[in-house]
Amino acid sequence: MASDDERGLHYEQTLMYGRYTQELGVYAKEEAARLREEGVRRPSVAERSRSLELLENDKGRCAKCRICTVRCQKFLISCVGEDWIFLILLGLFMALLSWLVDFGIGICLQSQKWMYVNLEGNVFLQYLAWVTYPVVLITFSAGFTQILAPQAVGSGIPEIKTILRGVVLKECLTFKTFVAKVIGLTSALGSGMPLGKESPFVHIASLGASLLCKFMSLFGGIYENESRNMELLSVACAVGVSCVFAAPIGGLLFSIEAMSTFFTVRNYWRGFFAATVTAFMYRVLAVWNRDEVTITALLPTNFRQDFPFDLQELPAFAVLGIVSGFGGALFVCLNRQIVQLIRNQKTIKKFLMKKRLLYPALVTLLVSTLTFPPGFGQFMAAKLTQMESLETLLDNHTWSKQGIPEEFDSNSHSQAWKHPQVNVFVTLTLFVVMKFWMSALAMTMPVPCGAFMPVFVIGAALGRLVGESMATWFPDGVHSDGTIYPIEPGVYAAVGAAALSGAVTHTVSTAVVVFELTGQISHILPVMIAVILANAVAQSLQPSLYDSLIMIKKLPYLPELGWGHHEKYNICVEDIMIRDVMYITLNCCYRDLHDVLLAGHLKTLALLESSESMILLGSIERAQLQALLSLQLGRPRRLKYLRDRATAESRLSVVSHPSSEDGSTMVNQEVHFQISTEETSLSSTPTPSMKPLKPALKRPSVVDHPTEIPMPTSPQDHSGSTLKNLFRVRPDIEGLEDDLDVDDDMTIREIAEWEENQLDEQVNFDNCMIDPAPIQLVERTSLHKTHTIFSLLGLDHAYVTSIGRLIGVVSLKELQKAIEGSVAVKGVNVRPPLASFRDSGTSGTIMNNENKARDLHKLWNRRKSMSLPQEHRASDPDEKSK
């Protein structure tokens, strides 16, 4: 039997990222089912309409007023339950929340600058204020998140991807996680560390959608539908991106690329509508707060429109995209290596696990020290925030003329990039290198944070470096038709930002985000070229950042097949499946059931007709089998056995000591009646009336009603009747009740002997919940098709059959190993392991098909010979009575 620890969620809070271990989906699905069963049953539509009819028939004084009130309430509920109301509420709520978070972050950053400026003249106090302030905020964020909801740590996108795949993560969509995520994110970003807001807001939007669904379920039961909630979660992902960059189109496309393996087309308009409402409201709040004069792009630019770029610049854009691809792969690899390095150092890990707040404090202290403006920070524009840095990097004016800093064209913010001793190229290079590893390191802190915005800024700096180099190499600009067009480094910054962020996340929609962020689309061609080349390089080297975090957290993971790996299309299911399958048969005994449950921890087991035929009849969950075994060996059945034994002993004592002649006659009659009853029961067992066929999932489960399992009374083989009644519903049988007059006085040895006898009885599956149609594959199903089925249906395993016979099983683990290259297939010339058994010739194919057809006819004839029950038999007695 599985212990309680094995059925837990097993969320382990590690030093940097939490991780999930052992039977994650099992516990989550059982917990979700339990919560649904415990929910209060809502009145049906018929009951509500009946109550309205009764109210209309009422002739009381206030009957008309009550009828009008009920009808208005019904109309209001029907209107509020509509999709567009939900989407408007979600968009308005997330826009307001995003604006409030920005407001809080701005106050924190301005406070740090105010302390730094007011302490000018005392470098030590400036350093103390510059370092202490972010350390306090990061420590508060880590401690608050750890105490309230550890699942709020990190970006949250890996968890949302797992939830959208079908795995229920109970604690990731709670109100406590929502509060911890919002407050922790505000504190973390207010510290000035190189962290991002976009990824955590995707999780926050999903939390808001989940909580709003619970509220909207009061108005319409459709919001309790699990599939519909999954669709609304995908809409929330688009809203989360849109309320950060005010980019509705890019937000929806990014959510489709980064979150969903398959996207429902009917959900398309919901995403656009909600994202547009969010972006509009977010910019309206900025106008209302007098941050903007009117609704404009978040970072408006004034790039040249009439001649945006020259053909001579396209190679530079292509090189920038390739370099960004290598940079994105290096960023993902560096982040993962930092996590694995600290996890592998057992002494350091053990020490830091005891002092959980020490690690984020040390990381913040290191980064703050290196970015101190009078120190090393003066070479990397450390005085600027991320948004201020991005705004200056997108400036279309050249910062230097041939690298001479005296000719630095700048505004107030751009002065931070000017240094009297080094030129702008050194400043930009140091900024890219230092921010690169600082961002990868800061992401490992146990606080709510993301990486999109830091990577976006680093990409903009890299592009600005290339643009300034082009402006130095071509000081007179580009000549076209007698007109000189100067180089605009800001264009290269926008291209680099889209390329590097796209390489890290493996998305192309970052190009659309840049267009909406800057408000200009004239450079669509160079941006798309750079983004596509960056994705091509990055996808061939490393997984995306979110997939890397999924592997670090050990979430259920199904990698993508990838492009260019043609050998993976030659692999079939029979090459990767497990042939030693654990199963139970229809005529097995409880001892076999006990041995199978102890041998492994599979959450479902295959049910076969017999070990000889290997015909797959269905699958049974582990909880059902545990309930059957518990009832067979439980105390109620043992008390029934004691009661029957006591009754038999009392009757034998009355027979052996008769008190009178009448008593003897009465006892003899009673004994004769008892014997005749037993003979009748053995000779002709009455067949109960059968109900029509009904889906197995609508049948009462032994887990829900454990006392309704009919116990077998004889070890004789009744597999035929069990096969007939396997997918039928028998009449309700009264459960076993404890006889309070019988004491459980059996010794341990007697209990052990009794249990041994009970284990030899045959299992009765009549009232057990059985899935009659589990997902099945054939042995020649390709790896590509298997991957598609698993991704689309959210499966964790599938049975492999041949003409109904079970020959193997393939799970998520085997599929993952095959995709990642564990199967030894080198190319087209080297065939898969079982390819020698496949005959590609025409004759072999015909013979194989003939053999399969012959086996299929034999199986069909054997099925026809069996007396299977018909649906009309249940109504025969009624027809005869008429």
Side-chain angles (χ1 to χ4, degrees):
M1 294 292 177
S3 61
D4 294 337
D5 294 337
E6 293 173 354
R7 298 181 62 185
L9 187 60
H10 288 274
Y11 177 81
E12 178 184 353
Q13 178 59 36
T14 58
L15 179 61
M16 289 159 289
Y17 297 108
R19 60 182 177 185
Y20 298 85
T21 59
Q22 292 185 7
E23 305 294 336
L24 171 65
V26 178
Y27 172 79
K29 291 181 180 179
E30 290 179 358
E31 189 69 15
R34 183 184 65 82
L35 292 177
R36 286 196 298 268
E37 293 168 2
E38 291 179 356
V40 181
R41 178 180 177 272
R42 298 183 180 276
S44 62
V45 178
E47 293 175 355
R48 291 197 296 266
S49 59
R50 177 62 178 170
S51 61
L52 183 60
E53 291 177 0
L54 294 176
L55 189 61
E56 291 178 352
N57 295 331
D58 188 7
K59 303 299 182 180
R61 181 179 301 176
C62 301
K64 293 184 178 180
C65 296
R66 290 197 297 270
I67 292 173
C68 182
T69 303
V70 170
R71 288 181 176 175
C72 292
Q73 181 182 3
K74 186 178 179 181
F75 175 77
L76 178 63
I77 290 175
S78 62
C79 289
V80 174
E82 294 293 334
D83 280 348
W84 61 275
I85 295 292
F86 176 88
L87 299 175
I88 289 177
L89 292 177
L90 179 62
L92 296 178
F93 174 71
M94 289 308 303
L96 178 61
L97 184 62
S98 179
W99 183 81
L100 290 176
V101 170
D102 287 340
F103 185 76
I105 294 171
I107 292 178
C108 294
L109 295 176
Q110 290 299 325
S111 301
Q112 185 183 18
K113 285 188 176 182
W114 178 82
M115 287 190 298
Y116 175 78
V117 172
N118 287 341
L119 294 175
E120 189 175 359
N122 192 331
V123 180
F124 176 75
L125 291 180
Q126 280 186 320
Y127 170 75
L128 196 62
W130 183 269
V131 171
T132 305
Y133 189 81
V135 169
V136 171
L137 288 177
I138 288 293
T139 304
F140 168 76
S141 177
F144 182 79
T145 305
Q146 176 65 32
I147 293 173
L148 189 60
Q151 289 77 13
V153 170
S155 67
I157 286 184
E159 286 80 4
I160 299 302
K161 288 188 68 173
T162 306
I163 292 174
L164 291 177
R165 193 188 173 275
V167 179
V168 180
L169 302 180
K170 178 184 175 183
E171 297 296 333
C172 289
L173 297 176
T174 60
F175 181 73
K176 291 196 303 181
T177 308
F178 176 80
V179 175
K181 197 82 174 183
V182 173
I183 297 179
L185 179 64
T186 305
S187 301
L189 296 183
S191 65
M193 294 292 289
L195 302 172
K197 174 189 173 186
E198 180 260 352
S199 300
F201 247 82
V202 171
H203 190 194
I204 292 174
S206 301
L207 287 164
S210 177
L211 297 175
L212 190 58
C213 282
K214 294 180 181 178
F215 171 75
M216 296 291 286
S217 63
L218 301 175
F219 301 95
I222 191 171
Y223 288 98
E224 294 179 346
N225 187 281
E226 184 177 354
S227 300
R228 184 181 179 83
N229 289 345
M230 291 297 104
E231 295 180 356
L232 295 178
L233 281 182
S234 64
V235 171
C237 297
V239 172
V241 180
S242 178
C243 66
V244 174
F245 296 112
I249 302 176
L252 177 62
L253 297 179
F254 182 85
S255 67
I256 295 175
E257 284 187 286
M259 307 293 166
S260 306
T261 306
F262 291 92
F263 189 79
T264 308
V265 178
R266 64 174 176 271
N267 215 31
Y268 210 56
W269 75 269
R270 296 190 184 104
F272 270 125
F273 182 75
T276 303
V277 171
T278 302
F280 174 77
M281 189 63 188
Y282 181 66
R283 299 307 293 158
V284 166
L285 289 173
V287 176
W288 174 78
N289 198 41
R290 297 183 180 179
D291 297 332
E292 300 287 346
V293 179
T294 184
I295 297 179
T296 58
L298 192 62
L299 293 173
T301 56
N302 53 352
F303 298 145
R304 191 172 53 244
Q305 297 285 339
D306 53 346
F307 192 83
F309 62 93
D310 190 75
L311 291 179
Q312 301 176 17
E313 299 181 76
L314 289 181
F317 292 127
V319 171
L320 178 58
I322 295 174
V323 173
S324 298
F326 283 106
L330 180 61
F331 184 87
V332 175
C333 181
L334 179 61
N335 175 262
R336 188 169 61 253
Q337 291 299 324
I338 293 174
V339 176
Q340 293 178 354
L341 176 64
I342 299 180
R343 282 184 176 179
N344 294 334
Q345 300 295 328
K346 296 183 179 179
T347 305
I348 301 177
K349 177 183 176 182
K350 185 177 180 181
F351 173 74
L352 294 179
M353 285 294 291
K354 294 180 181 179
K355 309 292 183 181
R356 292 184 179 273
L357 301 182
L358 183 60
Y359 177 76
L362 291 176
V363 173
T364 307
L365 178 63
L366 174 62
V367 175
S368 300
T369 302
L370 292 176
T371 57
F372 182 53
F376 193 74
Q378 61 183 322
F379 300 104
M380 46 188 298
K383 291 183 180 180
L384 301 180
T385 63
Q386 289 192 26
M387 291 301 295
E388 291 173 350
S389 300
L390 188 59
E391 183 180 355
T392 56
L393 291 172
L394 293 176
D395 185 15
N396 61 337
H397 295 289
T398 305
W399 286 351
S400 63
K401 300 296 183 180
Q402 298 188 11
I404 302 174
E406 285 77 8
E407 300 183 13
F408 198 102
D409 299 331
S410 62
N411 52 30
S412 58
H413 286 311
S414 298
Q415 288 289 342
W417 298 95
K418 181 179 180 179
H419 194 274
Q421 299 177 0
V422 296
N423 57 25
V424 67
F425 300 105
V426 177
T427 305
L428 288 172
T429 303
L430 288 176
F431 180 87
V432 171
V433 174
M434 297 300 292
K435 288 291 184 180
F436 191 87
W437 69 265
M438 284 181 183
S439 301
L441 178 63
M443 270 193 61
T444 61
M445 294 189 299
V447 295
C449 61
F452 188 89
M453 195 62 184
V455 170
F456 198 83
V457 175
I458 295 171
L462 179 62
R464 184 79 192 194
L465 180 61
V466 176
E468 293 290 343
S469 301
M470 290 289 294
T472 303
W473 294 334
F474 300 95
D476 297 332
V478 179
H479 297 266
S480 178
D481 296 333
T483 306
I484 299 176
Y485 296 98
I487 299 293
E488 294 183 334
V491 175
Y492 289 85
V495 173
L500 187 60
S501 57
V504 171
T505 59
H506 287 190
T507 56
V508 185
S509 55
T510 53
V512 184
V513 173
V514 168
F515 299 148
E516 295 181 283
L517 189 65
T518 59
Q520 290 190 265
I521 199 174
S522 56
H523 295 81
I524 182 172
L525 186 59
V527 171
M528 291 302 301
I529 290 176
V531 170
I532 291 175
L533 289 176
N535 270 272
V537 174
Q539 291 183 20
S540 62
L541 297 176
Q542 288 288 329
S544 69
L545 178 63
Y546 307 128
D547 290 340
S548 177
L549 293 177
I550 286 176
M551 291 186 288
I552 291 174
K553 294 186 176 185
K554 297 185 178 181
L555 292 165
Y557 172 66
L558 184 61
E560 296 296 332
L561 281 175
W563 50 273
H565 301 283
H566 302 289
E567 67 273 5
K568 294 181 180 179
Y569 292 87
N570 298 329
I571 304 175
C572 294
V573 169
E574 62 177 342
D575 300 325
I576 63 175
M577 69 181 181
I578 298 177
R579 298 182 178 275
D580 187 13
V581 186
M582 298 182 64
Y583 60 87
I584 56 176
T585 59
L586 196 61
N587 55 358
C588 67
C589 60
Y590 285 95
R591 188 179 302 279
D592 300 331
L593 206 63
H594 179 265
D595 296 339
V596 169
L597 291 176
L598 289 181
H601 300 284
L602 298 176
K603 66 178 183 179
T604 56
L605 290 172
L607 177 62
L608 306 184
E609 182 184 19
S610 64
S611 301
E612 294 77 18
S613 64
M614 296 295 290
I615 300 298
L616 181 64
L617 300 178
S619 63
I620 306 178
E621 293 185 359
R622 183 185 185 87
Q624 298 283 325
L625 301 178
Q626 289 175 343
L628 285 177
L629 195 58
S630 299
L631 288 175
Q632 183 69 10
L633 303 178
R635 187 171 180 270
R637 186 170 179 85
R638 190 165 66 248
L639 291 178
K640 180 179 180 299
Y641 167 76
L642 294 175
R643 183 185 59 194
D644 295 342
R645 188 177 67 177
T647 303
E649 290 177 354
S650 63
R651 288 175 178 172
L652 289 176
S653 62
V654 172
V655 172
S656 59
H657 302 285
S659 60
S660 61
E661 185 177 353
D662 297 337
S664 176
T665 305
M666 181 177 61
V667 170
N668 292 334
Q669 292 176 355
E670 183 180 0
V671 172
H672 176 72
F673 176 78
Q674 182 69 20
I675 293 174
S676 63
T677 304
E678 292 179 355
E679 292 176 352
T680 305
S681 63
L682 291 176
S683 60
S684 60
T685 303
T687 303
S689 61
M690 300 298 176
K691 294 183 179 181
L693 286 169
K694 180 180 180 181
L697 295 179
K698 297 182 180 180
R699 185 180 312 158
S701 170
V702 296
V703 177
D704 303 331
H705 309 284
T707 60
E708 296 181 1
I709 296 295
M711 298 301 175
T713 57
S714 63
Q716 63 181 358
D717 185 12
H718 57 280
S719 60
S721 61
T722 307
L723 179 61
K724 296 177 183 178
N725 304 330
L726 186 59
F727 302 109
R728 288 176 174 268
V729 179
R730 300 178 66 89
D732 294 335
I733 302 175
E734 296 183 358
L736 302 175
E737 298 179 356
D738 295 346
D739 193 349
L740 300 179
D741 298 334
V742 179
D743 296 331
D744 189 1
D745 55 354
M746 298 178 65
T747 63
I748 297 178
R749 182 177 180 180
E750 291 176 346
I751 292 177
E753 293 177 355
W754 176 79
E755 288 181 350
E756 289 294 326
N757 295 330
Q758 294 297 315
L759 288 175
D760 292 332
E761 293 188 5
Q762 187 172 347
V763 182
N764 192 336
F765 296 101
D766 284 353
N767 278 17
C768 185
M769 183 182 292
I770 301 174
D771 182 9
I775 301 299
Q776 302 178 38
L777 305 173
V778 296
E779 66 271 21
R780 294 298 302 275
T781 305
S782 65
L783 181 64
H784 181 270
K785 188 174 183 179
T786 305
H787 179 274
T788 303
I789 294 174
F790 270 67
S791 301
L792 184 60
L793 301 181
L795 304 179
D796 55 2
H797 74 280
Y799 296 109
V800 183
T801 58
S802 176
I803 321 181
R805 297 184 177 91
L806 180 66
I807 61 175
V809 63
V810 58
S811 66
L812 198 64
K813 184 178 181 180
E814 285 75 39
L815 189 58
Q816 176 183 352
K817 289 181 178 180
I819 295 174
E820 290 178 348
S822 298
V823 178
V825 180
K826 301 299 182 182
V828 179
N829 296 329
V830 181
R831 308 180 73 188
L834 297 180
S836 58
F837 296 97
R838 305 173 190 157
D839 191 354
S840 59
T842 307
S843 60
T845 304
I846 296 175
M847 292 296 295
N848 191 19
N849 293 336
E850 290 180 355
N851 294 333
K852 289 186 176 181
R854 189 182 303 109
D855 294 340
L856 187 61
H857 283 299
K858 289 181 180 179
L859 180 62
W860 176 252
N861 293 332
R862 186 164 63 89
R863 287 286 183 178
K864 289 178 63 177
S865 63
M866 299 177 64
S867 57
L868 294 177
Q870 302 295 330
E871 294 187 8
H872 66 275
R873 291 185 181 180
S875 58
D876 288 345
D878 298 335
E879 294 177 357
K880 292 180 181 179
S881 61
K882 293 179 182 179

